[in-house]
C-alpha cells in the first residue's frame, strides 16, 4: 500500500510552511508532528473537547476535524502565535495566568485560541456571552469559574491597552 | 522585599510555558519516533484461538508485530499486583498482552510498531484475531450470582472479602446496637461507574542507547520512580541504567498512578529490541476501554439512632465492582469503608465488603478514591435520619460530630495505609457554622416558599466529609544552592497540573530566605531524585512539601554555620533574607548566600565573580586538617525525607441550592458553597483552584458521568460525545471559605487538598434534589430522565 501525498502550503503564525501529507492527515497532526508546533493539543480527536482549536483565517476551528489538505493556502494561528510581536504574552494569555485559569494546561491552548477570536469580535462581553464563548471547550482540571474570570480580565486588559 | 511566601497567593510559575505552547507533554516529545498501536479485544470475554498477521505485513512502514508469545522472561508474566492485602484472597492481574483469554473489551492483544500512528493503525485493522466467545459477566448483580466466572479459578467472582467492626460502649456489636436503638432504618444506595478521564491520555516514549546500554523513558505517569523500577525489573536492566521522566502531564486524577501500565513496559522493550525510538500516545477511545474506571458500588445500610438523631449503631455492606483485574488491590473499598464515618462518632460500626470481578475495565482509584461513595452513604444516612425524625439536616449532623477537644480522635479502624484511623485535628462545628452562614441555610425555608409560590421547585443540600490525606510511607526533597545563588529543588513525586513547581518554590523560598525567582523546582525526574512514591491521595504538598522544608532547614543550618565562620559571628545571631545572610540587627555584617555556596566547596576555581569574591572570606587553612573535614561534604546541599506516622485528616462541608424543572426534570445548580480545611494554606489561590476543579468533577459524577455497559460488556458511551462531562454551562460558581486547623503531625502543619472538592458533591446534590422534589434519591448520578422516572413512580 502506498499513499498519495499532497504538498500543502500553510501560513502558520505568519510564516509560510510547507508539508507533504497524505490526504487523510489531520490538521492537528500536521501542525504538531509535521511542523513541530506541539502547542496545539489533541484531547479527543472527535471534535468534542476543543483542545485542538486553532484559528483558520481568524476563525476558531477544531483542527482534529480538519484535514490538512483542506487548509492548503490558508492562514493558521496556533497558541504559539498568540503572543505579541515583542514576545510578550497577549492579554488573553496574561489574563489566564492572573486568574489561575489553568492547571495542567492541556486544554489551555484551545481556550486561548477560542477566547482570542471571541474577544476580537466582542471586546466587551456580558457574563452570558462569555459563558457561551467558552462553552464548547472541555477542561477537566480547573473548573470554569476562573476561566470565565480570565475572559473578562482579558477584555479589561485589552481595553486598558486600547484594544489588542 | 519579603521572602516569606508561605501562605501567599503566588502566581504559578508553570504558566509561562503552558500558555505559550511551550509545555512538553508526552506526545510533544520524540518527533520522528516509531509509533506503537494495539489490537484490542472487541469482546468482553473470549478465548483467543488464532492471531493471523499475514494481511498486515504488506502495510508500508510496518516495523514489527508482537503477541504474547513474543514476550521474553518477566515480560510474559502477569503484571504486578501492586498492593496485596490479606483479604484479597484472589488477586488477579492481566498480562501485558493477552494470553489465551481476554476479560474485557479493550484488553491489548497485539502490539504493532510502524513508521507512524496512521500506518500502525492500518496494520492493526488488518490483523485477524479469532476468538471463541465466552459468557461475559457484567454488572454487580450478575457477578454475585456467580453462575459465570470472570476468572475460572475465582469462585463466585469474589476477589476479596473484608469485615471491620468497632464495638460500642460495653462491647456491644453494631448489630446489637442497631437492634436496641429507639429507631431503625434500612436502605440501599448505589453509585455508578465513572472514570478519571484526564484530557491528555496516557503515553510512553522510550529511547534506547545501545552504546551505553541505557534506557530513557518518558511517561505520562503519576509515579516515575516506580515505573522505572518496573521497567528495570521486567526488562532485566540494572536500575541505574533506566531513567524515567514525567514531563508536563495533562491531568491524572488517579488513572496515571497505576504502574506499570502494559504500554509502559512494552514500549521500552520494543525500543530496545528495535534499537529505535518508540512512542505510544493513547487515543480517546483506547482510554475509555483500556484505562481504569472507578466508583461502581452498591451499599446496604442499617442504622439505629436515638431521638436526637445520634447514631448508635451502623452496619454497612458494600459490593464493589472491581472490573476484570485487581492491580491496585482493594484500596477503593477499603477507603470507602473507613472514610465513610466522616466527621461523626457512631456508637458501633460494622462494615463488610466484597470485591467482585466483572468483565469490564479494571477499577483503580479516581480522585476521591472510594470516598465519594462512602460520603454518599453516610450523608444520605444523615438525611434519612433527619427526615424520619422531622429534624433539620444540619442539626442531626451536629449531634453526631466529633468535638474539637476530642482530637486526636481514634475511629478504631485500620486505614488504607495499614495504620490506625486516627484524626489529627479539626473543628467540625465551626466548619458547619461557616457553611450555614455562607449558603444562608437558616433563611432558605422562606426562599423555598417564595419560589414555590412562583411555581418553582428549589431545594438545599448539605454534605460533610473527612479525607485522609498525605499517606506515607515517605517522600524526599533535595536542595542545592549553587555558587550563583540559585536554589535548585527536586523531589521525586510528579505533577499533573497541581502547581507543585510553585508551592514547592514557595516553601523553599520561605525556608531559605531567598527570592522565589532564584528557586527552580524539578519533579518526577528520576535523574534528579530516585526515591519517591508518587502523586495521589492528596499527598504531594504534605509529603514532598515537608521533605523539601526539612532539606532546606539542613541547608540553612549549614549555610549559617559557614557564614558564621566567615563573619566571625554566632550562627544563632544570623538570619537569611533576600538571599543574604546577615547578623540580626547589623545590616552591614552580611554575606550573600551565593558566596556561602562558594565557601562550602574548597575547590575554588574562579569561574565566576562569586568565586573570586569568596576568597576574602576563606578561613585560615590548617595544615593538619583535610580541606573537607570529617563528616562534612563539599557544597551547599541537603537532602531529607519526610515519613509520617500516619495520615493527616483534612475536612470540609459543601452545600448547594438546586432547581428542578417541573416539566423537563432538568436539574440546575443555582448556588454552591464550600468550607474547606486543609490545615495551613501554602497558596490559597492554588487550593481554591483545586476545589473548583474538584467540584466540577463532582458535578460530573453527580449529574452526568456514567459508564454504560450493555449485557455483552460493550461500553456504549466510549467517546466524549456520549460520556458526558460538564462544560462551563454546567458548573456553578463556587463560593469558598477556608478554615485552618493546622496538622500537629508535620512541621508545616499542612493537610492535603487535591481531592476534597470532588468528594461530597454527589451527596450534596442528592440531598438538594431530594429537598426540592420530596423524592428519595438513592442512586447517583441522576439525570433528568432518572428524575422523571422517579416522579412517575412516586
Ligand atoms: S481534539 Fe479536537 S475537539 Fe478534542
Ligand atoms: S487545565 Fe487540565 S484540562 Fe484544563
Amino acid at each position: 500500500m502506498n499513499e498519495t501525498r499532497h504538498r500543502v502550503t500553510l501560513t502558520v503564525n505568519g510564516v509560510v510552511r510547507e508539508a507533504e501529507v497524505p490526504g487523510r492527515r489531520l490538521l492537528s497532526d500536521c501542525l504538531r508532528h509535521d511542523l513541530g508546533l506541539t502547542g496545539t493539543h489533541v484531547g479527543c480527536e472527535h471534535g468534542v473537547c476543543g483542545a485542538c482549536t486553532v484559528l483558520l483565517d481568524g476563525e476558531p476551528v477544531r483542527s482534529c476535524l480538519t484535514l490538512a489538505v483542506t487548509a492548503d493556502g490558508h492562514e493558521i494561528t496556533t497558541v504559539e502565535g498568540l503572543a505579541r510581536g515583542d514576545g510578550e504574552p497577549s492579554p488573553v494569555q496574561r489574563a489566564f495566568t492572573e486568574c489561575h485559569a489553568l492547571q495542567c494546561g492541556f486544554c489551555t491552548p484551545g481556550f486561548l485560541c477560542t477566547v482570542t477570536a471571541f474577544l476580537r469580535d466582542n471586546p466587551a462581553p456580558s457574563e452570558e456571552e462569555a459563558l457561551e464563548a467558552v462553552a464548547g471547550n472541555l477542561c477537566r482540571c480547573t473548573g470554569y469559574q476562573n476561566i470565565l474570570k480570565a475572559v473578562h480580565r482579558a477584555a479589561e486588559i485589552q481595553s486598558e491597552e486600547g484594544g489588542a | 522585599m519579603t521572602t516569606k511566601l508561605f501562605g501567599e497567593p503566588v502566581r504559578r510559575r508553570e504558566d509561562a510555558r503552558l500558555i505559550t505552547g511551550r509545555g512538553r507533554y508526552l506526545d510533544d516529545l520524540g518527533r520522528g519516533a516509531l509509533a506503537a498501536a494495539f489490537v484490542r479485544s472487541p469482546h468482553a470475554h473470549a478465548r483467543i484461538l488464532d492471531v493471523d498477521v499475514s494481511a498486515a505485513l504488506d502495510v508500508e512502514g510496518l516495523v514489527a508485530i508482537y503477541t504474547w508469545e513474543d514476550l521474553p522472561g518477566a515480560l510474559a508474566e502477569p503484571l504486578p499486583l501492586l498492593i496485596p492485602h490479606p483479604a484479597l484472597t484472589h488477586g488477579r492481574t492481566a498480562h501485558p498482552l493477552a494470553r489465551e483469554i481476554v476479560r474485557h473489551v479493550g484488553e491489548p492483544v497485539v502490539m504493532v510498531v510502524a513508521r507512524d500512528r496512521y500506518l500502525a493503525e492500518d496494520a492493526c485493522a488488518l490483523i485477524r484475531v479469532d476468538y471463541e466467545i465466552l459468557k461475559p459477566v457484567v454488572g454487580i448483580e450478575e457477578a454475585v450470582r456467580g453462575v459465570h466466572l470472570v476468572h475460572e479459578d475465582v469462585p463466585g467472582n469474589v476477589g476479596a472479602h473484608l469485615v471491620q467492626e468497632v464495638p460500642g460502649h460495653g462491647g456491644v456489636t453494631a448489630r446489637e446496637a442497631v437492634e436496641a436503638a429507639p429507631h431503625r432504618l434500612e436502605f440501599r444506595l448505589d453509585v455508578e461507574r465513572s472514570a478519571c478521564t484526564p484530557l491528555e491520555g496516557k503515553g510512553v516514549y522510550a529511547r534506547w542507547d545501545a552504546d551505553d546500554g541505557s534506557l530513557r523513558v518518558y511517561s505520562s505517569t503519576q509515579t516515575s520512580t516506580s515505573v522505572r523500577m518496573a521497567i528495570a525489573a521486567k526488562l532485566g536492566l540494572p536500575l541505574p541504567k533506566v531513567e524515567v521522566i514525567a514531563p508536563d502531564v495533562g491531568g491524572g486524577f488517579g488513572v496515571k498512578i497505576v504502574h506499570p501500565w502494559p504500554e509502559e513496559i512494552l514500549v521500552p522493550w520494543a525500543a530496545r529490541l528495535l534499537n529505535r525510538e518508540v512512542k505510544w500516545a493513547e487515543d480517546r477511545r483506547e482510554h475509555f476501554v483500556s484505562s481504569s474506571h472507578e466508583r461502581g458500588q452498591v451499599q446496604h445500610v442499617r442504622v439505629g439512632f436515638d431521638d436526637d438523631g445520634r447514631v448508635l449503631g451502623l452496619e454497612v455492606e458494600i459490593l464493589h465492582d472491581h472490573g476484570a483485574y485487581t492491580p491496585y488491590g482493594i484500596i477503593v473499598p477499603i477507603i470507602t469503608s473507613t472514610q465513610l464515618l466522616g466527621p461523626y462518632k457512631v456508637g458501633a460500626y460494622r462494615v463488610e465488603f466484597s470485591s467482585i470481578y466483572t468483565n469490564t475495565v479494571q477499577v483503580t482509584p479516581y480522585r476521591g478514591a472510594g470516598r465519594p461513595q462512602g460520603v454518599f452513604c453516610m450523608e444520605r444516612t444523615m438525611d434519612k435520619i433527619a427526615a424520619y425524625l422531622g429534624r433539620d439536616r444540619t442539626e442531626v449532623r451536629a449531634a453526631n460530630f466529633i468535638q474539637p477537644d476530642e482530637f486526636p480522635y481514634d475511629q478504631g479502624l485500620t486505614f488504607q495505609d495499614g495504620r490506625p484511623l486516627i484524626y489529627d485535628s479539626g473543628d467540625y462545628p465551626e466548619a458547619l457554622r461557616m457553611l450555614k452562614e455562607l449558603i444562608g441555610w437558616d433563611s432558605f425555608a422562606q426562599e423555598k416558599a417564595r419560589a414555590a409560590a412562583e411555581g418553582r421547585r428549589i431545594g438545599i443540600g448539605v454534605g460533610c466529609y473527612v479525607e485522609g490525606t498525605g499517606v506515607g510511607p515517605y517522600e524526599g526533597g533535595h536542595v542545592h544552592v549553587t555558587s550563583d545563588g540559585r536554589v535548585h529543588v527536586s523531589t521525586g513525586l510528579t505533577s499533573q497540573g497541581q502547581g507543585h513547581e510553585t508551592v514547592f518554590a514557595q516553601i523553599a523560598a520561605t525556608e531559605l530566605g531567598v527570592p522565589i525567582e532564584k528557586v527552580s523546582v524539578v519533579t518526577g525526574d528520576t535523574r534528579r531524585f530516585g526515591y519517591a512514591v508518587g502523586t495521589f491521595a492528596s499527598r504531594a504538598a504534605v509529603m514532598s512539601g515537608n521533605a523539601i522544608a526539612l532539606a532546606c532547614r539542613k541547608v540553612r543550618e549549614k549555610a549559617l554555620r559557614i557564614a558564621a565562620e566567615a563573619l566571625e559571628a554566632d550562627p544563632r545571631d544570623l538570619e537569611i533574607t533576600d538571599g543574604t545572610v546577615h547578623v540580626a540587627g547589623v545590616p552591614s555584617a552580611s554575606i550573600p548566600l551565593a558566596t556561602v555556596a562558594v565557601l562550602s566547596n574548597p575547590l575554588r576555581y574562579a569561574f565566576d565573580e562569586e568565586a573570586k569574591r569568596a576568597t576574602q572570606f576563606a578561613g585560615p587553612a590548617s595544615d593538619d586538617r583535610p580541606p573537607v573535614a570529617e563528616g562534612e561534604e563539599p557544597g551547599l546541599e541537603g537532602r531529607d525525607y519526610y515519613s509520617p506516622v500516619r495520615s493527616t485528616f483534612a475536612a470540609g462541608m459543601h452545600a448547594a441550592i438546586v432547581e428542578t424543572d417541573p416539566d423537563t426534570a432538568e436539574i440546575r445548580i443555582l448556588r454552591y458553597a464550600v468550607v474547606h480545611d486543609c490545615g495551613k494554606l501554602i497558596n490559597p489561590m492554588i487550593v481554591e483552584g483545586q476545589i473548583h476543579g474538584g467540584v466540577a468533577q463532582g458535578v460530573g459524577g453527580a449529574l452526568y458521568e456514567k459508564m454504560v455497559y450493555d449485557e455483552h460488556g460493550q461500553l456504549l458511551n466510549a467517546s466524549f460525545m456520549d460520556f458526558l462531562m460538564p462544560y462551563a454551562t454546567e458548573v456553578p460558581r463556587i463560593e469558598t471559605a477556608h478554615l485552618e486547623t493546622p496538622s500537629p503531625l508535620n512541621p508545616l502543619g499542612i493537610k492535603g487538598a487535591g481531592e476534597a472538592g470532588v468528594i461530597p458533591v454527589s451527596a450534596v446534590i442528592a440531598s438538594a434534589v431530594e429537598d426540592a422534589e420530596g423524592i428519595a434519591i438513592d442512586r447517583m448520578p441522576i439525570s433528568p430522565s432518572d428524575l422523571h422516572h422517579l416522579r412517575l413512580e412516586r
Side-chain angles (χ1 to χ4, degrees), chain A residues 102-108 111 138-142, chain B residues 199 250-251:
Chain A
L102 62 148
Q103 288 185 21
C104 80
F106 197 79
C107 67
T108 310
F111 273 99
L138 273 174
C139 173
R140 191 61 163 164
C141 304
T142 310
Chain B
L199 221 49

Side-chain angles (χ1 to χ4, degrees), chain B residues 186-534:
Chain B
E186 192 170 339
F187 43 90
R188 170 186 164 153
L189 300 164
D190 285 33
V191 178
E192 289 279 359
R193 253 193 197 220
S194 183
C196 301
T197 329
L199 221 49
E200 179 207 36
K202 305 197 298 323
V204 195
Y205 158 52
R207 285 154 56 170
W208 171 249
D209 182 335
D211 297 334
D212 187 46
S214 69
L215 190 61
R216 180 180 300 175
V217 180
Y218 295 82
S219 178
S220 180
T221 180
Q222 292 175 227
T223 177
S224 52
T225 43
S226 299
V227 169
R228 177 194 193 204
M229 288 191 271
I231 292 170
K234 288 288 185 181
L235 269 54
L237 289 167
L239 190 66
K241 289 291 186 189
V242 182
E243 299 164 343
V244 177
I245 297 148
D248 283 322
V249 172
F253 317 117
V255 66
K256 295 176 182 174
I257 190 67
V258 179
H259 57 272
W261 280 103
E263 300 87 357
E264 279 175 322
I265 46 176
L266 292 170
V267 168
W269 169 68
R272 182 176 61 162
L273 200 64
L274 298 167
N275 198 12
R276 298 277 302 275
E277 296 184 9
V278 181
K279 180 165 79 176
W280 168 74
E282 186 177 57
D283 73 21
R284 190 46 57 185
R285 184 173 159 75
E286 282 187 291
H287 188 84
F288 271 104
V289 298
S290 66
S291 297
S292 301
H293 297 169
E294 211 240 85
R295 304 275 199 259
Q297 272 181 195
V298 176
Q299 298 157 142
H300 292 273
V301 181
R302 289 185 78 232
V303 62
F305 49 96
D306 66 15
D307 295 339
D308 295 328
R310 241 189 310 263
V311 176
L312 304 173
L314 179 67
E315 285 184 281
V316 182
E317 245 182 85
I318 299 169
L319 293 174
H320 172 74
D321 176 356
H322 226 141
Y325 301 106
T326 49
Y328 223 71
I330 47 176
I331 283 292
V332 175
I334 288 181
I335 295 177
T336 303
S337 53
T338 51
Q339 296 269 270
L340 193 146
L341 295 175
Y344 311 114
K345 316 180 251 197
V346 306
Y349 177 54
R350 181 182 194 275
V351 63
E352 169 174 7
F353 70 74
S354 296
S355 204
I356 311 287
Y357 285 110
T358 58
N359 287 113
T360 55
V361 176
Q362 71 184 28
V363 165
T364 63
Y366 160 29
R367 196 177 195 178
R371 291 176 187 87
Q373 299 94 309
V375 169
F376 187 67
C377 191
M378 194 72 208
E379 294 301 301
R380 296 280 61 219
T381 302
M382 287 293 161
D383 284 354
K384 283 176 192 289
I385 293 173
Y388 180 87
L389 296 173
R391 282 177 173 263
D392 182 276
R393 286 166 285 168
T394 58
E395 230 175 78
V396 168
R397 285 171 168 84
N400 286 285
F401 278 158
I402 295 161
Q403 296 303 309
D405 59 0
E406 292 178 292
F407 293 98
Y409 188 84
D410 189 346
Q411 285 283 22
L413 296 162
T414 303
F415 191 43
Q416 70 179 113
D417 52 5
R419 305 255 163 160
L421 183 75
I422 301 175
Y423 295 176
D424 50 345
S425 63
D427 188 345
Y428 309 141
E430 173 61 10
L432 183 63
R433 191 199 60 72
M434 289 167 71
L435 182 73
K436 285 173 74 173
E437 192 181 303
L438 193 59
I439 195 86
W441 183 271
D442 290 331
S443 56
F444 182 73
Q446 289 112 278
E447 207 179 310
K448 186 174 177 175
R450 255 197 316 275
E454 294 165 11
R456 293 170 55 219
R457 294 183 195 178
I458 61 173
I460 195 166
V462 62
C464 311
Y465 66 91
V466 169
E467 181 197 359
T469 64
V471 294
Y474 71 86
E475 271 324 315
H478 180 259
V479 176
H480 185 192
V481 183
T482 43
S483 58
D484 51 6
R486 282 191 243 248
V487 179
H488 309 269
V489 177
S490 62
T491 184
L493 65 58
T494 55
S495 179
Q496 302 88 47
Q498 299 93 334
H500 295 163
E501 265 179 74
T502 305
V503 293
F504 294 157
Q506 281 179 260
I507 291 171
T510 305
E511 292 286 338
L512 286 176
V514 297
I516 196 164
E517 296 71 35
K518 292 275 183 199
V519 184
S520 66
V521 176
V522 170
T523 60
D525 184 338
T526 66
R527 294 172 299 180
R528 290 286 299 274
F529 208 99
Y531 285 93
V533 184

Side-chain angles (χ1 to χ4, degrees), chain A residues 29 34 93 103-104 145, chain B residues 12 19 25 31 118 705 734:
Chain A
D29 286 337
D34 297 325
Q93 287 171 312
Q103 288 185 21
C104 80
Q145 106 188 42
Chain B
R12 299 205 327 166
I19 58 164
Y25 301 87
R31 200 170 160 204
Y118 290 68
E705 292 167 18
I734 298 148

Side-chain angles (χ1 to χ4, degrees), chain A residues 8-141:
Chain A
V8 293
T9 307
L10 313 170
T11 308
V12 188
N13 303 328
V15 180
V16 178
R17 306 286 302 263
E18 296 205 336
E20 215 183 76
V21 295
R24 60 176 170 169
R25 190 117 175 119
L26 302 177
L27 177 58
S28 49
D29 286 337
C30 175
L31 290 169
R32 291 178 48 77
H33 302 305
D34 297 325
L35 304 182
L37 293 166
T38 53
T40 302
H41 296 153
V42 175
C44 68
E45 235 181 289
H46 49 251
V48 183
C49 73
C52 66
T53 305
V54 299
L55 306 181
L56 182 72
D57 297 328
E59 293 309 315
V61 297
R62 308 286 210 220
S63 63
C64 77
L65 294 183
T66 309
L67 295 172
V69 285
T70 65
D72 186 26
H74 291 269
E75 287 207 27
I76 291 165
T77 306
T78 67
V79 65
E80 288 95 339
L82 295 183
R84 300 184 155 173
D86 57 2
E88 268 294 295
S90 73
V92 178
Q93 287 171 312
R94 270 151 53 200
F96 266 64
T97 298
E98 272 184 38
C99 300
H100 188 28
L102 62 148
Q103 288 185 21
C104 80
F106 197 79
C107 67
T108 310
F111 273 99
L112 292 172
C113 289
T114 305
V115 173
T116 301
F118 168 66
L119 290 181
R120 180 199 57 211
D121 298 341
N122 184 354
S126 67
E127 300 252 336
E128 283 296 285
E129 290 165 337
L131 181 65
E132 179 93 347
V134 297
N137 289 56
L138 273 174
C139 173
R140 191 61 163 164
C141 304

Side-chain angles (χ1 to χ4, degrees), chain A residues 140-153:
Chain A
R140 191 61 163 164
C141 304
T142 310
Y144 300 98
Q145 106 188 42
N146 285 349
I147 293 175
L148 286 164
K149 214 201 279 175
V151 176
H152 293 294
R153 177 67 192 131

